Amino acid sequence: MSQSKQIVIVGCGRLGGMLANRLSSAGHRVVIVDQRESAFDKLSLDFTGFRLIGDAVELHILREANAEDADCLFATTTSDNTNLMVAQVAKKVFNVPRVVARVFDPTREEIYRDFGIDTISPTKLSAEAFFRVLG
Ligand code: AMP
């Protein structure tokens, strides 16, 4: 395994939950934040990280998540606006070295990049996968 990292994941949906389980079993220290306690049902029994209930747009929640000590933050909710807000705060206020946001609208990726935020667009990735079907 590469060196153990401190990772904050925002959103314990299908994507965030899967990432949290995988990163935890790979030996990373994970804090996962969701505003709904029931979302944590997606975490496996082996998950060794911390669960934090709250709205990640609120500064004190990211502080409680220990964002200032994080190597990396993944903003994985289904809202581009939420992900952008959280990612900006992580970058500017908590100086998280690596911030990656899920962004559905590929036309907004440039805005994120201007803030030093990396993006992953499920829309683009799906389009590429569909194109590949045709060979
Ligand atoms: P999904 O729609 O399955 O990808 O799940 C997205 C997850 O993000 C849900 O569990 C939401 O409760 C969570 N979520 C959305 N907005 C916020 C927020 N501002 N703070 C924390 N969790 C959130």
Side-chain angles (χ1 to χ4, degrees), residues 10-16 33-40 42 52-58 61 76-79 82-83 86 102 104:
V10 172
C12 190
R14 286 156 291 189
L15 174 63
V33 184
D34 202 291
Q35 55 199 2
R36 288 180 308 115
E37 191 172 10
S38 60
F40 299 128
K42 295 175 197 75
L52 180 63
I53 304 166
D55 182 347
V57 170
E58 293 174 18
I61 293 294
T76 74
T77 80
T78 40
S79 159
T82 300
N83 292 342
V86 169
R102 177 196 220 183
F104 286 92

Side-chain angles (χ1 to χ4, degrees), residues 11-58:
C12 190
R14 286 156 291 189
L15 174 63
M18 188 183 285
L19 280 172
N21 287 330
R22 287 182 65 172
L23 291 168
S24 167
S25 64
H28 297 292
R29 288 159 285 138
V30 176
V31 180
I32 183 142
V33 184
D34 202 291
Q35 55 199 2
R36 288 180 308 115
E37 191 172 10
S38 60
F40 299 128
D41 292 350
K42 295 175 197 75
L43 296 174
S44 69
L45 292 174
D46 305 335
F47 178 74
T48 57
F50 290 96
R51 303 159 172 84
L52 180 63
I53 304 166
D55 182 347
V57 170
E58 293 174 18

Side-chain angles (χ1 to χ4, degrees), residues 7-127:
I7 301 165
V8 177
I9 299 175
V10 172
C12 190
R14 286 156 291 189
L15 174 63
M18 188 183 285
L19 280 172
N21 287 330
R22 287 182 65 172
L23 291 168
S24 167
S25 64
H28 297 292
R29 288 159 285 138
V30 176
V31 180
I32 183 142
V33 184
D34 202 291
Q35 55 199 2
R36 288 180 308 115
E37 191 172 10
S38 60
F40 299 128
D41 292 350
K42 295 175 197 75
L43 296 174
S44 69
L45 292 174
D46 305 335
F47 178 74
T48 57
F50 290 96
R51 303 159 172 84
L52 180 63
I53 304 166
D55 182 347
V57 170
E58 293 174 18
L59 204 63
H60 74 99
I61 293 294
L62 285 188
R63 190 168 288 123
E64 273 178 56
N66 252 339
E68 68 253 45
D69 295 328
D71 297 299
C72 188
L73 179 140
F74 295 150
T76 74
T77 80
T78 40
S79 159
D80 285 0
N81 285 335
T82 300
N83 292 342
L84 178 58
M85 267 190 274
V86 169
Q88 266 182 280
V89 172
K91 199 85 201 167
K92 299 284 172 214
V93 180
F94 295 105
N95 296 312
V96 180
R98 193 85 202 272
V99 177
V100 187
R102 177 196 220 183
V103 53
F104 286 92
D105 181 354
T107 63
R108 303 184 69 187
E109 281 187 297
E110 212 168 301
I111 306 172
Y112 286 68
R113 235 174 278 129
D114 289 345
F115 287 115
I117 297 159
D118 293 328
T119 56
I120 291 180
S121 168
T123 313
K124 260 194 194 167
L125 293 176
S126 309

